[in-house]
Amino acid sequence: MSLRDVFARNLRRYRLAAQLSQEALAHEAGVDRTYISALERSGYSASIDMIERLAAVLAIDPHLLLERGGRAKR
């Protein structure tokens, strides 16, 4: 599995664990909902800055979004 796919899977997992919709996460991160959707489908690559911003909204350490085999722990 590519790192982009790992990120996509983890982003969705942590977003759902935080009980946030794509729209709510996008609003809090200051991006469009379609961008979050594309990230979760591996359509786009996220920058390091975006990973940090999304992790802050999700209240997790950024490395968890890139962790292979990671679990949604809060």
Side-chain angles (χ1 to χ4, degrees):
M1 182 181 301
S2 73
L3 190 55
R4 184 187 295 191
D5 292 333
V6 169
F7 172 78
R9 184 194 66 219
N10 288 339
L11 178 60
R12 178 175 167 78
R13 182 178 294 155
Y14 283 105
R15 176 180 61 77
L16 293 174
Q19 298 182 325
L20 291 172
S21 65
Q22 288 180 344
E23 186 173 358
L25 177 58
H27 176 75
E28 292 298 319
V31 298
D32 193 85
R33 184 208 54 84
T34 59
Y35 181 68
I36 299 298
S37 175
L39 288 175
E40 288 187 359
R41 289 181 287 110
S42 300
Y44 292 149
S45 295
S47 69
I48 294 296
D49 293 336
M50 182 53 60
I51 292 170
E52 183 176 44
R53 192 181 326 172
L54 293 168
V57 173
L58 295 169
I60 60 172
D61 288 330
H63 80 274
L64 293 174
L65 291 172
L66 301 174
E67 187 174 69
R68 294 183 192 274
R71 294 194 183 126
K73 299 176 189 169
R74 290 186 50 104

